[in-house]
Amino acid sequence: MAMKKCKECGEEISSSAKKCPKCGKDQRNFFMKHPVLYTILILMIIGIVAGSGSDNTGNTTVTSTGNQVQETVYNIGDAISNEKYEITIKNVSTATKVGSQYLNSQPAEGGVYVCVDFTYKNVSTEPISSWDFPTVELVDSNGVEYSSDVSASSYYATEKDPNRKVLSDLNPGITVTDNKVFEIAEESYNQGEWYLVVDNNTKIKVK
């Protein structure tokens, strides 16, 4: 017969004993001693989990057919604002070369440059650090995110001469121009829909 020590007096007792025969200490754990409370607790946890799952979809916009609708998608030229800045995608174009006659960049074979021009304005009452400037990424219809080509973006900037801030803050009320260039397989860009995503939460349809 398996044995264990009493929780109170240390006496060797049967592992199946509910109470110690020597000191009378109840050997059961809290849940075994309070089965009704344990059951109520389990039901409460299940209810909380179920409620959380409902909240995740409770604010989703639904069409008349009952299908879920994607988040709001903006178009080129729309002004998009948050508590810090207002950003506007001014133009999106493709190119096979960016830069000047002597300083330029070309995409790899089969690729094309997607050039994005945009402005953003500090609409808050405090300076915005360069670390908090808006991010712009290119995303395909499958949700694959593409980062900008730093080299091509630099060459393209020599054409557009943006007045973006690099290391300094953007003060309240100031608007700057900026641009990014993405290198994408031309065949892929010609197929499906493409979007720009600002700060990982706002979609702008570009193609």
Side-chain angles (χ1 to χ4, degrees), residues 157-173:
T158 64
E159 297 180 30
K160 298 296 182 175
D161 192 26
N163 64 343
R164 60 190 173 199
K165 305 295 181 181
V166 179
L167 297 176
S168 59
D169 293 347
L170 180 64
N171 291 325

PDB file of all heavy atoms in Angstrom, residues 157-173:
ATOM      1  N   ALA A 157      15.391  60.346 -54.495  1.00  0.00           N
ATOM      2  CA  ALA A 157      15.311  61.612 -53.760  1.00  0.00           C
ATOM      3  C   ALA A 157      16.069  62.718 -54.475  1.00  0.00           C
ATOM      4  O   ALA A 157      15.721  63.903 -54.351  1.00  0.00           O
ATOM      5  CB  ALA A 157      15.840  61.429 -52.346  1.00  0.00           C
ATOM      6  N   THR A 158      17.115  62.364 -55.246  1.00  0.00           N
ATOM      7  CA  THR A 158      17.845  63.396 -55.984  1.00  0.00           C
ATOM      8  C   THR A 158      16.974  64.000 -57.082  1.00  0.00           C
ATOM      9  O   THR A 158      17.207  65.139 -57.509  1.00  0.00           O
ATOM     10  CB  THR A 158      19.131  62.820 -56.609  1.00  0.00           C
ATOM     11  OG1 THR A 158      18.785  61.814 -57.578  1.00  0.00           O
ATOM     12  CG2 THR A 158      20.014  62.210 -55.543  1.00  0.00           C
ATOM     13  N   GLU A 159      15.977  63.243 -57.553  1.00  0.00           N
ATOM     14  CA  GLU A 159      15.039  63.769 -58.545  1.00  0.00           C
ATOM     15  C   GLU A 159      13.992  64.668 -57.887  1.00  0.00           C
ATOM     16  O   GLU A 159      13.652  65.734 -58.389  1.00  0.00           O
ATOM     17  CB  GLU A 159      14.300  62.627 -59.253  1.00  0.00           C
ATOM     18  CG  GLU A 159      15.152  61.676 -60.056  1.00  0.00           C
ATOM     19  CD  GLU A 159      14.286  60.596 -60.693  1.00  0.00           C
ATOM     20  OE1 GLU A 159      13.099  60.876 -60.993  1.00  0.00           O
ATOM     21  OE2 GLU A 159      14.773  59.470 -60.874  1.00  0.00           O
ATOM     22  N   LYS A 160      13.464  64.206 -56.755  1.00  0.00           N
ATOM     23  CA  LYS A 160      12.323  64.871 -56.124  1.00  0.00           C
ATOM     24  C   LYS A 160      12.717  65.933 -55.109  1.00  0.00           C
ATOM     25  O   LYS A 160      11.916  66.804 -54.770  1.00  0.00           O
ATOM     26  CB  LYS A 160      11.441  63.820 -55.440  1.00  0.00           C
ATOM     27  CG  LYS A 160      10.845  62.804 -56.399  1.00  0.00           C
ATOM     28  CD  LYS A 160       9.891  63.481 -57.374  1.00  0.00           C
ATOM     29  CE  LYS A 160       9.253  62.488 -58.312  1.00  0.00           C
ATOM     30  NZ  LYS A 160       8.237  63.122 -59.197  1.00  0.00           N
ATOM     31  N   ASP A 161      13.936  65.840 -54.599  1.00  0.00           N
ATOM     32  CA  ASP A 161      14.443  66.801 -53.616  1.00  0.00           C
ATOM     33  C   ASP A 161      13.472  67.020 -52.463  1.00  0.00           C
ATOM     34  O   ASP A 161      12.984  68.129 -52.221  1.00  0.00           O
ATOM     35  CB  ASP A 161      14.749  68.138 -54.292  1.00  0.00           C
ATOM     36  CG  ASP A 161      15.536  69.068 -53.378  1.00  0.00           C
ATOM     37  OD1 ASP A 161      16.242  68.554 -52.480  1.00  0.00           O
ATOM     38  OD2 ASP A 161      15.442  70.296 -53.560  1.00  0.00           O
ATOM     39  N   PRO A 162      13.137  65.966 -51.705  1.00  0.00           N
ATOM     40  CA  PRO A 162      12.197  66.108 -50.584  1.00  0.00           C
ATOM     41  C   PRO A 162      12.809  66.933 -49.457  1.00  0.00           C
ATOM     42  O   PRO A 162      14.033  66.992 -49.306  1.00  0.00           O
ATOM     43  CB  PRO A 162      11.968  64.655 -50.144  1.00  0.00           C
ATOM     44  CG  PRO A 162      13.240  63.968 -50.504  1.00  0.00           C
ATOM     45  CD  PRO A 162      13.698  64.606 -51.797  1.00  0.00           C
ATOM     46  N   ASN A 163      11.960  67.571 -48.660  1.00  0.00           N
ATOM     47  CA  ASN A 163      12.451  68.362 -47.520  1.00  0.00           C
ATOM     48  C   ASN A 163      12.213  67.626 -46.204  1.00  0.00           C
ATOM     49  O   ASN A 163      11.934  68.230 -45.180  1.00  0.00           O
ATOM     50  CB  ASN A 163      11.783  69.734 -47.494  1.00  0.00           C
ATOM     51  CG  ASN A 163      10.272  69.649 -47.279  1.00  0.00           C
ATOM     52  OD1 ASN A 163       9.668  68.591 -47.465  1.00  0.00           O
ATOM     53  ND2 ASN A 163       9.661  70.753 -46.885  1.00  0.00           N
ATOM     54  N   ARG A 164      12.281  66.299 -46.258  1.00  0.00           N
ATOM     55  CA  ARG A 164      12.042  65.476 -45.073  1.00  0.00           C
ATOM     56  C   ARG A 164      13.087  65.753 -43.996  1.00  0.00           C
ATOM     57  O   ARG A 164      14.209  66.179 -44.288  1.00  0.00           O
ATOM     58  CB  ARG A 164      12.088  63.998 -45.460  1.00  0.00           C
ATOM     59  CG  ARG A 164      13.415  63.561 -46.046  1.00  0.00           C
ATOM     60  CD  ARG A 164      13.336  62.188 -46.635  1.00  0.00           C
ATOM     61  NE  ARG A 164      14.565  61.822 -47.352  1.00  0.00           N
ATOM     62  CZ  ARG A 164      14.621  60.847 -48.245  1.00  0.00           C
ATOM     63  NH1 ARG A 164      13.552  60.154 -48.530  1.00  0.00           N
ATOM     64  NH2 ARG A 164      15.754  60.571 -48.851  1.00  0.00           N
ATOM     65  N   LYS A 165      12.705  65.475 -42.763  1.00  0.00           N
ATOM     66  CA  LYS A 165      13.618  65.579 -41.634  1.00  0.00           C
ATOM     67  C   LYS A 165      14.324  64.230 -41.475  1.00  0.00           C
ATOM     68  O   LYS A 165      13.700  63.174 -41.581  1.00  0.00           O
ATOM     69  CB  LYS A 165      12.865  65.926 -40.355  1.00  0.00           C
ATOM     70  CG  LYS A 165      12.007  67.187 -40.450  1.00  0.00           C
ATOM     71  CD  LYS A 165      12.851  68.423 -40.665  1.00  0.00           C
ATOM     72  CE  LYS A 165      11.985  69.673 -40.721  1.00  0.00           C
ATOM     73  NZ  LYS A 165      12.771  70.894 -40.956  1.00  0.00           N
ATOM     74  N   VAL A 166      15.605  64.262 -41.219  1.00  0.00           N
ATOM     75  CA  VAL A 166      16.357  63.018 -41.063  1.00  0.00           C
ATOM     76  C   VAL A 166      16.679  62.769 -39.597  1.00  0.00           C
ATOM     77  O   VAL A 166      16.334  61.733 -39.033  1.00  0.00           O
ATOM     78  CB  VAL A 166      17.653  63.060 -41.900  1.00  0.00           C
ATOM     79  CG1 VAL A 166      18.442  61.769 -41.706  1.00  0.00           C
ATOM     80  CG2 VAL A 166      17.323  63.262 -43.374  1.00  0.00           C
ATOM     81  N   LEU A 167      17.334  63.713 -38.965  1.00  0.00           N
ATOM     82  CA  LEU A 167      17.717  63.538 -37.566  1.00  0.00           C
ATOM     83  C   LEU A 167      17.044  64.543 -36.638  1.00  0.00           C
ATOM     84  O   LEU A 167      17.157  64.425 -35.420  1.00  0.00           O
ATOM     85  CB  LEU A 167      19.244  63.654 -37.424  1.00  0.00           C
ATOM     86  CG  LEU A 167      20.056  62.578 -38.159  1.00  0.00           C
ATOM     87  CD1 LEU A 167      21.543  62.861 -38.011  1.00  0.00           C
ATOM     88  CD2 LEU A 167      19.731  61.192 -37.610  1.00  0.00           C
ATOM     89  N   SER A 168      16.356  65.524 -37.198  1.00  0.00           N
ATOM     90  CA  SER A 168      15.720  66.542 -36.360  1.00  0.00           C
ATOM     91  C   SER A 168      14.241  66.245 -36.164  1.00  0.00           C
ATOM     92  O   SER A 168      13.639  65.481 -36.916  1.00  0.00           O
ATOM     93  CB  SER A 168      15.880  67.930 -37.002  1.00  0.00           C
ATOM     94  OG  SER A 168      15.291  67.951 -38.292  1.00  0.00           O
ATOM     95  N   ASP A 169      13.647  66.866 -35.156  1.00  0.00           N
ATOM     96  CA  ASP A 169      12.225  66.690 -34.864  1.00  0.00           C
ATOM     97  C   ASP A 169      11.377  67.439 -35.896  1.00  0.00           C
ATOM     98  O   ASP A 169      11.837  68.394 -36.542  1.00  0.00           O
ATOM     99  CB  ASP A 169      11.893  67.219 -33.471  1.00  0.00           C
ATOM    100  CG  ASP A 169      12.541  66.391 -32.369  1.00  0.00           C
ATOM    101  OD1 ASP A 169      13.033  65.288 -32.681  1.00  0.00           O
ATOM    102  OD2 ASP A 169      12.560  66.861 -31.217  1.00  0.00           O
ATOM    103  N   LEU A 170      10.131  66.998 -36.022  1.00  0.00           N
ATOM    104  CA  LEU A 170       9.158  67.702 -36.852  1.00  0.00           C
ATOM    105  C   LEU A 170       8.283  68.530 -35.917  1.00  0.00           C
ATOM    106  O   LEU A 170       7.537  67.981 -35.109  1.00  0.00           O
ATOM    107  CB  LEU A 170       8.314  66.710 -37.648  1.00  0.00           C
ATOM    108  CG  LEU A 170       7.251  67.315 -38.575  1.00  0.00           C
ATOM    109  CD1 LEU A 170       7.917  68.140 -39.668  1.00  0.00           C
ATOM    110  CD2 LEU A 170       6.383  66.216 -39.182  1.00  0.00           C
ATOM    111  N   ASN A 171       8.380  69.844 -36.019  1.00  0.00           N
ATOM    112  CA  ASN A 171       7.670  70.726 -35.103  1.00  0.00           C
ATOM    113  C   ASN A 171       6.196  70.870 -35.477  1.00  0.00           C
ATOM    114  O   ASN A 171       5.805  70.635 -36.627  1.00  0.00           O
ATOM    115  CB  ASN A 171       8.345  72.101 -35.066  1.00  0.00           C
ATOM    116  CG  ASN A 171       9.705  72.043 -34.408  1.00  0.00           C
ATOM    117  OD1 ASN A 171       9.910  71.274 -33.468  1.00  0.00           O
ATOM    118  ND2 ASN A 171      10.644  72.844 -34.894  1.00  0.00           N
ATOM    119  N   PRO A 172       5.348  71.266 -34.521  1.00  0.00           N
ATOM    120  CA  PRO A 172       3.904  71.404 -34.771  1.00  0.00           C
ATOM    121  C   PRO A 172       3.601  72.316 -35.957  1.00  0.00           C
ATOM    122  O   PRO A 172       4.220  73.372 -36.115  1.00  0.00           O
ATOM    123  CB  PRO A 172       3.374  71.987 -33.458  1.00  0.00           C
ATOM    124  CG  PRO A 172       4.351  71.529 -32.426  1.00  0.00           C
ATOM    125  CD  PRO A 172       5.689  71.546 -33.108  1.00  0.00           C
ATOM    126  N   GLY A 173       2.661  71.883 -36.791  1.00  0.00           N
ATOM    127  CA  GLY A 173       2.228  72.702 -37.920  1.00  0.00           C
ATOM    128  C   GLY A 173       3.087  72.602 -39.164  1.00  0.00           C
ATOM    129  O   GLY A 173       2.742  73.170 -40.199  1.00  0.00           O
TER     130      GLY A 173
END
